[in-house]
Amino acid sequence: GRDAEQRTAHLAVDHPDVVERYRHGRTMLGEVDGAAGTENLRPFRRDCIEAANLLEEMTKPVVAQIHGACLGLEAELALACDLRVMADDVKFGLPETKLGLIPATISPYVIEAIGARQARRYFLTGERFTAAEAYRIGLLHDIAPLAELDTRVNETLRALMAAGPAAQFECKALIRGVA
């Protein structure tokens, strides 16, 4: 039927542990690297790549609802989604270079969204930026005050529900084939 669970996928990047790690200056990637050692980084990154690929290859539209920190893995998962709606209080970042790593797995998503010129800046500096900046450069599809985030996501989901699922599937295939 036209049930939202069957027609769309909704990924919420709003985990209290992620926000807490961000407040202490560590990303999920940094936590794994620092706590578990670099020998566990390769399997961890492989799992991240598989998760991002799964999101990107889903046949139904995937909407990321983002609140809290969106750094490293969180950014990678959000960027693998078809649509991204972010609260205006979010800090976004690609901190891999600050950890001595390159943002290789996230790079296709970032470059597709914002182009090589902007990607160069944020990859090389590893700097964090606001939700407003993420929206301005094209990483987001919508931005809302935190109190209105659920409403804005629900509006996006309703818009998706109004379209035909077969056409959406074909549109996703078309975009993958052309991009």
PDB file of all heavy atoms in Angstrom, residues 15-40:
ATOM      1  N   HIS A  15      21.685  10.666  17.606  1.00  0.00           N
ATOM      2  CA  HIS A  15      22.018   9.763  18.699  1.00  0.00           C
ATOM      3  C   HIS A  15      22.726  10.539  19.800  1.00  0.00           C
ATOM      4  O   HIS A  15      23.681  11.247  19.537  1.00  0.00           O
ATOM      5  CB  HIS A  15      22.910   8.637  18.175  1.00  0.00           C
ATOM      6  CG  HIS A  15      23.027   7.503  19.121  1.00  0.00           C
ATOM      7  ND1 HIS A  15      23.844   7.541  20.210  1.00  0.00           N
ATOM      8  CD2 HIS A  15      22.391   6.317  19.142  1.00  0.00           C
ATOM      9  CE1 HIS A  15      23.737   6.407  20.870  1.00  0.00           C
ATOM     10  NE2 HIS A  15      22.854   5.652  20.240  1.00  0.00           N
ATOM     11  N   PRO A  16      22.255  10.430  21.061  1.00  0.00           N
ATOM     12  CA  PRO A  16      22.867  11.223  22.135  1.00  0.00           C
ATOM     13  C   PRO A  16      24.363  10.951  22.311  1.00  0.00           C
ATOM     14  O   PRO A  16      25.112  11.860  22.646  1.00  0.00           O
ATOM     15  CB  PRO A  16      22.101  10.810  23.387  1.00  0.00           C
ATOM     16  CG  PRO A  16      21.126   9.785  22.988  1.00  0.00           C
ATOM     17  CD  PRO A  16      21.155   9.615  21.502  1.00  0.00           C
ATOM     18  N   ASP A  17      24.805   9.736  22.061  1.00  0.00           N
ATOM     19  CA  ASP A  17      26.231   9.436  22.183  1.00  0.00           C
ATOM     20  C   ASP A  17      27.046  10.210  21.157  1.00  0.00           C
ATOM     21  O   ASP A  17      28.167  10.613  21.418  1.00  0.00           O
ATOM     22  CB  ASP A  17      26.505   7.940  22.013  1.00  0.00           C
ATOM     23  CG  ASP A  17      26.023   7.125  23.190  1.00  0.00           C
ATOM     24  OD1 ASP A  17      25.748   7.720  24.258  1.00  0.00           O
ATOM     25  OD2 ASP A  17      25.912   5.905  23.047  1.00  0.00           O
ATOM     26  N   VAL A  18      26.488  10.387  19.966  1.00  0.00           N
ATOM     27  CA  VAL A  18      27.192  11.132  18.926  1.00  0.00           C
ATOM     28  C   VAL A  18      27.371  12.582  19.374  1.00  0.00           C
ATOM     29  O   VAL A  18      28.441  13.154  19.261  1.00  0.00           O
ATOM     30  CB  VAL A  18      26.424  11.054  17.592  1.00  0.00           C
ATOM     31  CG1 VAL A  18      27.045  11.979  16.558  1.00  0.00           C
ATOM     32  CG2 VAL A  18      26.419   9.625  17.081  1.00  0.00           C
ATOM     33  N   VAL A  19      26.318  13.175  19.905  1.00  0.00           N
ATOM     34  CA  VAL A  19      26.401  14.549  20.394  1.00  0.00           C
ATOM     35  C   VAL A  19      27.422  14.645  21.524  1.00  0.00           C
ATOM     36  O   VAL A  19      28.242  15.555  21.566  1.00  0.00           O
ATOM     37  CB  VAL A  19      25.012  15.039  20.869  1.00  0.00           C
ATOM     38  CG1 VAL A  19      25.120  16.423  21.486  1.00  0.00           C
ATOM     39  CG2 VAL A  19      24.033  15.046  19.708  1.00  0.00           C
ATOM     40  N   GLU A  20      27.420  13.687  22.424  1.00  0.00           N
ATOM     41  CA  GLU A  20      28.358  13.709  23.545  1.00  0.00           C
ATOM     42  C   GLU A  20      29.795  13.596  23.046  1.00  0.00           C
ATOM     43  O   GLU A  20      30.668  14.311  23.490  1.00  0.00           O
ATOM     44  CB  GLU A  20      28.034  12.574  24.525  1.00  0.00           C
ATOM     45  CG  GLU A  20      28.763  12.685  25.838  1.00  0.00           C
ATOM     46  CD  GLU A  20      28.450  13.982  26.593  1.00  0.00           C
ATOM     47  OE1 GLU A  20      27.333  14.514  26.481  1.00  0.00           O
ATOM     48  OE2 GLU A  20      29.359  14.473  27.265  1.00  0.00           O
ATOM     49  N   ARG A  21      30.041  12.711  22.100  1.00  0.00           N
ATOM     50  CA  ARG A  21      31.396  12.579  21.556  1.00  0.00           C
ATOM     51  C   ARG A  21      31.826  13.885  20.900  1.00  0.00           C
ATOM     52  O   ARG A  21      32.968  14.298  21.022  1.00  0.00           O
ATOM     53  CB  ARG A  21      31.459  11.439  20.544  1.00  0.00           C
ATOM     54  CG  ARG A  21      31.604  10.088  21.198  1.00  0.00           C
ATOM     55  CD  ARG A  21      32.053   9.059  20.198  1.00  0.00           C
ATOM     56  NE  ARG A  21      31.025   8.756  19.237  1.00  0.00           N
ATOM     57  CZ  ARG A  21      30.105   7.829  19.390  1.00  0.00           C
ATOM     58  NH1 ARG A  21      30.064   7.123  20.486  1.00  0.00           N
ATOM     59  NH2 ARG A  21      29.214   7.604  18.460  1.00  0.00           N
ATOM     60  N   TYR A  22      30.911  14.516  20.195  1.00  0.00           N
ATOM     61  CA  TYR A  22      31.226  15.785  19.538  1.00  0.00           C
ATOM     62  C   TYR A  22      31.597  16.847  20.570  1.00  0.00           C
ATOM     63  O   TYR A  22      32.537  17.578  20.402  1.00  0.00           O
ATOM     64  CB  TYR A  22      30.036  16.228  18.693  1.00  0.00           C
ATOM     65  CG  TYR A  22      30.153  17.637  18.185  1.00  0.00           C
ATOM     66  CD1 TYR A  22      31.125  17.969  17.257  1.00  0.00           C
ATOM     67  CD2 TYR A  22      29.307  18.626  18.640  1.00  0.00           C
ATOM     68  CE1 TYR A  22      31.245  19.261  16.787  1.00  0.00           C
ATOM     69  CE2 TYR A  22      29.418  19.926  18.172  1.00  0.00           C
ATOM     70  CZ  TYR A  22      30.384  20.227  17.250  1.00  0.00           C
ATOM     71  OH  TYR A  22      30.497  21.505  16.794  1.00  0.00           O
ATOM     72  N   ARG A  23      30.860  16.901  21.658  1.00  0.00           N
ATOM     73  CA  ARG A  23      31.149  17.901  22.691  1.00  0.00           C
ATOM     74  C   ARG A  23      32.544  17.712  23.268  1.00  0.00           C
ATOM     75  O   ARG A  23      33.166  18.641  23.714  1.00  0.00           O
ATOM     76  CB  ARG A  23      30.111  17.801  23.809  1.00  0.00           C
ATOM     77  CG  ARG A  23      28.778  18.366  23.419  1.00  0.00           C
ATOM     78  CD  ARG A  23      27.839  18.428  24.598  1.00  0.00           C
ATOM     79  NE  ARG A  23      26.554  18.887  24.146  1.00  0.00           N
ATOM     80  CZ  ARG A  23      25.404  18.359  24.493  1.00  0.00           C
ATOM     81  NH1 ARG A  23      25.376  17.327  25.312  1.00  0.00           N
ATOM     82  NH2 ARG A  23      24.281  18.840  24.045  1.00  0.00           N
ATOM     83  N   HIS A  24      33.007  16.482  23.258  1.00  0.00           N
ATOM     84  CA  HIS A  24      34.339  16.216  23.789  1.00  0.00           C
ATOM     85  C   HIS A  24      35.410  16.233  22.699  1.00  0.00           C
ATOM     86  O   HIS A  24      36.543  15.852  22.942  1.00  0.00           O
ATOM     87  CB  HIS A  24      34.365  14.882  24.529  1.00  0.00           C
ATOM     88  CG  HIS A  24      33.521  14.884  25.760  1.00  0.00           C
ATOM     89  ND1 HIS A  24      33.645  15.837  26.741  1.00  0.00           N
ATOM     90  CD2 HIS A  24      32.528  14.078  26.155  1.00  0.00           C
ATOM     91  CE1 HIS A  24      32.777  15.591  27.697  1.00  0.00           C
ATOM     92  NE2 HIS A  24      32.074  14.543  27.360  1.00  0.00           N
ATOM     93  N   GLY A  25      35.030  16.640  21.497  1.00  0.00           N
ATOM     94  CA  GLY A  25      36.001  16.820  20.430  1.00  0.00           C
ATOM     95  C   GLY A  25      36.422  15.537  19.738  1.00  0.00           C
ATOM     96  O   GLY A  25      37.444  15.488  19.088  1.00  0.00           O
ATOM     97  N   ARG A  26      35.601  14.498  19.863  1.00  0.00           N
ATOM     98  CA  ARG A  26      35.928  13.246  19.182  1.00  0.00           C
ATOM     99  C   ARG A  26      34.793  12.871  18.259  1.00  0.00           C
ATOM    100  O   ARG A  26      33.630  13.020  18.600  1.00  0.00           O
ATOM    101  CB  ARG A  26      36.124  12.117  20.193  1.00  0.00           C
ATOM    102  CG  ARG A  26      37.268  12.365  21.138  1.00  0.00           C
ATOM    103  CD  ARG A  26      37.411  11.209  22.081  1.00  0.00           C
ATOM    104  NE  ARG A  26      36.135  10.932  22.731  1.00  0.00           N
ATOM    105  CZ  ARG A  26      36.032  10.309  23.884  1.00  0.00           C
ATOM    106  NH1 ARG A  26      37.073   9.903  24.526  1.00  0.00           N
ATOM    107  NH2 ARG A  26      34.839  10.076  24.403  1.00  0.00           N
ATOM    108  N   THR A  27      35.122  12.346  17.102  1.00  0.00           N
ATOM    109  CA  THR A  27      34.100  11.831  16.207  1.00  0.00           C
ATOM    110  C   THR A  27      34.052  10.323  16.392  1.00  0.00           C
ATOM    111  O   THR A  27      34.906   9.729  17.050  1.00  0.00           O
ATOM    112  CB  THR A  27      34.459  12.128  14.739  1.00  0.00           C
ATOM    113  OG1 THR A  27      35.634  11.402  14.410  1.00  0.00           O
ATOM    114  CG2 THR A  27      34.649  13.610  14.503  1.00  0.00           C
ATOM    115  N   MET A  28      33.059   9.694  15.796  1.00  0.00           N
ATOM    116  CA  MET A  28      32.980   8.242  15.882  1.00  0.00           C
ATOM    117  C   MET A  28      34.242   7.613  15.316  1.00  0.00           C
ATOM    118  O   MET A  28      34.799   6.688  15.862  1.00  0.00           O
ATOM    119  CB  MET A  28      31.755   7.740  15.131  1.00  0.00           C
ATOM    120  CG  MET A  28      31.483   6.274  15.339  1.00  0.00           C
ATOM    121  SD  MET A  28      29.966   5.746  14.539  1.00  0.00           S
ATOM    122  CE  MET A  28      28.742   6.518  15.577  1.00  0.00           C
ATOM    123  N   LEU A  29      34.735   8.145  14.214  1.00  0.00           N
ATOM    124  CA  LEU A  29      35.955   7.632  13.608  1.00  0.00           C
ATOM    125  C   LEU A  29      37.139   7.812  14.556  1.00  0.00           C
ATOM    126  O   LEU A  29      37.925   6.902  14.755  1.00  0.00           O
ATOM    127  CB  LEU A  29      36.209   8.345  12.276  1.00  0.00           C
ATOM    128  CG  LEU A  29      37.419   7.911  11.474  1.00  0.00           C
ATOM    129  CD1 LEU A  29      37.344   6.429  11.160  1.00  0.00           C
ATOM    130  CD2 LEU A  29      37.503   8.707  10.198  1.00  0.00           C
ATOM    131  N   GLY A  30      37.242   8.975  15.174  1.00  0.00           N
ATOM    132  CA  GLY A  30      38.324   9.224  16.118  1.00  0.00           C
ATOM    133  C   GLY A  30      38.223   8.330  17.339  1.00  0.00           C
ATOM    134  O   GLY A  30      39.221   7.879  17.875  1.00  0.00           O
ATOM    135  N   GLU A  31      37.018   8.063  17.788  1.00  0.00           N
ATOM    136  CA  GLU A  31      36.805   7.194  18.939  1.00  0.00           C
ATOM    137  C   GLU A  31      37.338   5.788  18.649  1.00  0.00           C
ATOM    138  O   GLU A  31      38.018   5.198  19.446  1.00  0.00           O
ATOM    139  CB  GLU A  31      35.310   7.143  19.253  1.00  0.00           C
ATOM    140  CG  GLU A  31      34.967   6.242  20.387  1.00  0.00           C
ATOM    141  CD  GLU A  31      34.613   7.019  21.634  1.00  0.00           C
ATOM    142  OE1 GLU A  31      34.853   8.215  21.705  1.00  0.00           O
ATOM    143  OE2 GLU A  31      34.079   6.382  22.538  1.00  0.00           O
ATOM    144  N   VAL A  32      37.005   5.263  17.474  1.00  0.00           N
ATOM    145  CA  VAL A  32      37.479   3.932  17.126  1.00  0.00           C
ATOM    146  C   VAL A  32      38.990   3.932  16.985  1.00  0.00           C
ATOM    147  O   VAL A  32      39.671   3.064  17.515  1.00  0.00           O
ATOM    148  CB  VAL A  32      36.810   3.442  15.819  1.00  0.00           C
ATOM    149  CG1 VAL A  32      37.482   2.194  15.313  1.00  0.00           C
ATOM    150  CG2 VAL A  32      35.343   3.181  16.069  1.00  0.00           C
ATOM    151  N   ASP A  33      39.529   4.929  16.308  1.00  0.00           N
ATOM    152  CA  ASP A  33      40.963   4.999  16.106  1.00  0.00           C
ATOM    153  C   ASP A  33      41.702   5.119  17.435  1.00  0.00           C
ATOM    154  O   ASP A  33      42.673   4.429  17.675  1.00  0.00           O
ATOM    155  CB  ASP A  33      41.295   6.179  15.194  1.00  0.00           C
ATOM    156  CG  ASP A  33      42.739   6.150  14.722  1.00  0.00           C
ATOM    157  OD1 ASP A  33      43.351   5.072  14.699  1.00  0.00           O
ATOM    158  OD2 ASP A  33      43.248   7.223  14.380  1.00  0.00           O
ATOM    159  N   GLY A  34      41.205   5.994  18.321  1.00  0.00           N
ATOM    160  CA  GLY A  34      41.897   6.221  19.579  1.00  0.00           C
ATOM    161  C   GLY A  34      41.693   5.110  20.590  1.00  0.00           C
ATOM    162  O   GLY A  34      42.609   4.730  21.310  1.00  0.00           O
ATOM    163  N   ALA A  35      40.506   4.559  20.667  1.00  0.00           N
ATOM    164  CA  ALA A  35      40.195   3.583  21.709  1.00  0.00           C
ATOM    165  C   ALA A  35      40.602   2.175  21.322  1.00  0.00           C
ATOM    166  O   ALA A  35      41.096   1.413  22.137  1.00  0.00           O
ATOM    167  CB  ALA A  35      38.696   3.617  22.009  1.00  0.00           C
ATOM    168  N   ALA A  36      40.391   1.812  20.082  1.00  0.00           N
ATOM    169  CA  ALA A  36      40.595   0.429  19.687  1.00  0.00           C
ATOM    170  C   ALA A  36      41.900   0.212  18.941  1.00  0.00           C
ATOM    171  O   ALA A  36      42.290  -0.912  18.713  1.00  0.00           O
ATOM    172  CB  ALA A  36      39.427  -0.028  18.820  1.00  0.00           C
ATOM    173  N   GLY A  37      42.561   1.264  18.546  1.00  0.00           N
ATOM    174  CA  GLY A  37      43.801   1.128  17.801  1.00  0.00           C
ATOM    175  C   GLY A  37      43.547   1.070  16.312  1.00  0.00           C
ATOM    176  O   GLY A  37      42.464   0.729  15.862  1.00  0.00           O
ATOM    177  N   THR A  38      44.561   1.396  15.558  1.00  0.00           N
ATOM    178  CA  THR A  38      44.408   1.474  14.105  1.00  0.00           C
ATOM    179  C   THR A  38      44.205   0.109  13.461  1.00  0.00           C
ATOM    180  O   THR A  38      43.705   0.048  12.347  1.00  0.00           O
ATOM    181  CB  THR A  38      45.635   2.162  13.477  1.00  0.00           C
ATOM    182  OG1 THR A  38      46.803   1.463  13.879  1.00  0.00           O
ATOM    183  CG2 THR A  38      45.721   3.615  13.902  1.00  0.00           C
ATOM    184  N   GLU A  39      44.550  -0.977  14.131  1.00  0.00           N
ATOM    185  CA  GLU A  39      44.344  -2.299  13.533  1.00  0.00           C
ATOM    186  C   GLU A  39      42.861  -2.595  13.321  1.00  0.00           C
ATOM    187  O   GLU A  39      42.504  -3.397  12.465  1.00  0.00           O
ATOM    188  CB  GLU A  39      45.008  -3.411  14.368  1.00  0.00           C
ATOM    189  CG  GLU A  39      44.353  -3.660  15.726  1.00  0.00           C
ATOM    190  CD  GLU A  39      44.838  -2.721  16.823  1.00  0.00           C
ATOM    191  OE1 GLU A  39      45.675  -1.849  16.560  1.00  0.00           O
ATOM    192  OE2 GLU A  39      44.360  -2.876  17.957  1.00  0.00           O
ATOM    193  N   ASN A  40      41.985  -1.955  14.080  1.00  0.00           N
ATOM    194  CA  ASN A  40      40.549  -2.160  13.920  1.00  0.00           C
ATOM    195  C   ASN A  40      39.909  -1.151  12.976  1.00  0.00           C
ATOM    196  O   ASN A  40      38.725  -1.240  12.699  1.00  0.00           O
ATOM    197  CB  ASN A  40      39.844  -2.093  15.282  1.00  0.00           C
ATOM    198  CG  ASN A  40      40.231  -3.257  16.157  1.00  0.00           C
ATOM    199  OD1 ASN A  40      40.446  -4.369  15.671  1.00  0.00           O
ATOM    200  ND2 ASN A  40      40.336  -3.008  17.440  1.00  0.00           N
TER     201      ASN A  40
END
